């Protein structure tokens, strides 16, 4: 069975500090997909990034960067120079395309990020 | 605009009063599913549908029903709501896994349900 753990329930920082969100996953399959979603106070889910298990190249997109390490089953997310608008709950999710439930996403419990001015 | 819509967005009801939360997508997606979000638990899948007339239980199906009579619609039915079903509900849709394994799921805006 798949499992996603986000050990940090809440992180509070002052604006311009960097924030790293941890995500550790468990799956028995060799092919899988990892996602990060952002949920701002308004409640909707905003897709941030998708990574497949064969692509360990880390990525930077603006102030966001992702560190995928298959050896440690981790898919961490960093916000550089945080801003107040980054305040949200961030979810890490795993998808195993071979499971019976098809496109089901297994989510971590979420990490609430509070960026203070 | 490609989107998933849910109605209502907010609902307060009482124990035992049947309700339906509608979900509709305009992207011709085969796969649709319902999740509930609870603090500290993230989102958990309630039911999913691979295509019209094909539905199956997710991880937390107790107390819920669904139907998929049309490709675009996937309503969530609570026949006899109870307070432990107070939650934030999300509908999601995507292409089937047969077309693309890592395809993105599109989420609706959420329905906040309170059962008194």
């Amino acid at each position: 069975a798949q499992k996603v753990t986000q050990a940090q329930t809440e992180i509070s920082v002052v604006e311009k500090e960097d924030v790293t969100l941890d995500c550790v996953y468990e799956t028995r399959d060799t092919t899988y997909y990892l996602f990060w979603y952002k949920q701002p106070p308004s409640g909707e889910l905003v897709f941030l990034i998708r990574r497949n298990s064969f692509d360990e190249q880390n990525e930077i997109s603006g102030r966001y960067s992702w560190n995928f390490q298959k050896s440690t089953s981790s898919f961490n997310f960093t916000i550089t120079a945080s801003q107040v608008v980054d305040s949200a709950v961030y979810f890490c999710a795993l998808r195993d395309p071979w499971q019976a439930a098809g496109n089901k996403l297994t989510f971590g419990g979420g990490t609430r990020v509070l960026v203070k001015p | 605009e490609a989107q998933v819509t849910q109605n209502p967005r907010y609902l307060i009801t009482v124990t035992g009063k049947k309700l339906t939360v509608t979900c509709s997508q305009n992207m011709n997606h085969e796969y649709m599913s319902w999740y509930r979000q609870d603090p500290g638990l993230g989102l958990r899948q309630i039911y999913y549908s691979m295509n019209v007339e094909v539905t199956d239980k997710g991880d937390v199906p107790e107390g819920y029903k669904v139907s998929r009579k049309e490709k675009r619609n996937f309503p969530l039915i609570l026949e006899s709501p109870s307070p432990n079903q107070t939650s934030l509900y999300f509908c999601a849709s995507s292409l089937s896994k047969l077309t693309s394994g890592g395809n993105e799921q599109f989420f609706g805006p959420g329905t906040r349900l309170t059962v008194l």
Side-chain angles (χ1 to χ4, degrees):
Chain A
Q2 292 81 27
K3 184 178 179 182
V4 177
T5 302
Q6 296 179 250
Q8 307 146 306
T9 55
E10 185 166 323
I11 300 175
S12 182
V13 298
V14 177
E15 208 170 17
K16 297 184 182 175
E17 288 183 343
D18 297 347
V19 182
T20 294
L21 309 182
D22 298 332
C23 173
V24 175
Y25 62 91
E26 295 177 27
T27 179
R28 286 177 290 187
D29 294 297
T30 57
T31 300
Y32 51 88
Y33 297 85
L34 295 163
F35 301 78
W36 275 97
Y37 284 86
K38 173 183 178 181
Q39 185 177 47
S42 51
E44 75 272 21
L45 286 166
V46 179
F47 167 76
L48 294 177
I49 191 172
R50 170 183 58 239
R51 266 288 173 269
N52 70 53
S53 54
F54 295 101
D55 180 7
E56 290 194 68
Q57 183 177 3
N58 294 314
E59 180 174 330
I60 297 175
S61 176
R63 295 185 299 108
Y64 296 163
S65 62
W66 292 269
N67 185 355
F68 175 32
Q69 293 197 344
K70 207 169 178 179
S71 60
T72 57
S73 298
S74 65
F75 185 44
N76 298 336
F77 170 46
T78 297
I79 305 171
T80 303
S82 61
Q83 301 175 0
V84 173
V85 293
D86 296 326
S87 296
V89 179
Y90 291 83
F91 291 101
C92 181
L94 166 70
R95 179 170 169 262
D96 167 12
W98 304 109
Q99 65 180 327
N103 291 358
K104 184 184 90 169
L105 289 171
T106 298
F107 284 84
T111 299
R112 181 177 300 278
V113 174
L114 177 61
V115 181
K116 300 176 183 176
Chain B
E1 178 189 356
Q3 61 182 349
V4 179
T5 57
Q6 294 178 227
N7 282 292
R9 295 289 312 280
Y10 303 91
L11 179 60
I12 300 175
T13 189
V14 296
T15 298
K17 185 176 181 181
K18 180 180 178 180
L19 66 91
T20 299
V21 183
T22 64
C23 172
S24 183
Q25 50 92 6
N26 62 2
M27 295 167 278
N28 202 36
H29 285 164
E30 296 88 0
Y31 186 90
M32 297 185 75
S33 63
W34 278 101
Y35 293 84
R36 61 177 288 173
Q37 180 184 343
D38 301 291
L41 299 177
L43 283 76
R44 295 174 293 167
Q45 192 183 56
I46 303 170
Y47 267 93
Y48 66 95
S49 169
M50 297 282 206
N51 214 323
V52 175
E53 301 292 1
V54 181
T55 63
D56 208 343
K57 298 177 181 178
D59 296 323
V60 287
E62 295 76 21
Y64 304 94
K65 286 175 58 176
V66 293
S67 69
R68 187 90 181 273
K69 293 183 170 54
E70 305 165 283
K71 198 172 187 179
R72 62 183 295 126
N73 297 323
F74 191 45
L76 179 69
I77 303 157
L78 284 72
E79 294 269 1
S80 182
S82 62
N84 64 12
Q85 293 178 297
T86 292
S87 187
L88 178 59
Y89 292 86
F90 287 98
C91 181
S93 75
S94 66
L95 294 169
S96 77
K97 66 178 182 178
L98 297 176
T99 52
S100 175
N103 53 76
E104 177 189 345
Q105 288 206 28
F106 292 80
F107 284 87
T111 294
R112 189 167 292 281
L113 172 65
T114 301
V115 183
L116 302 174

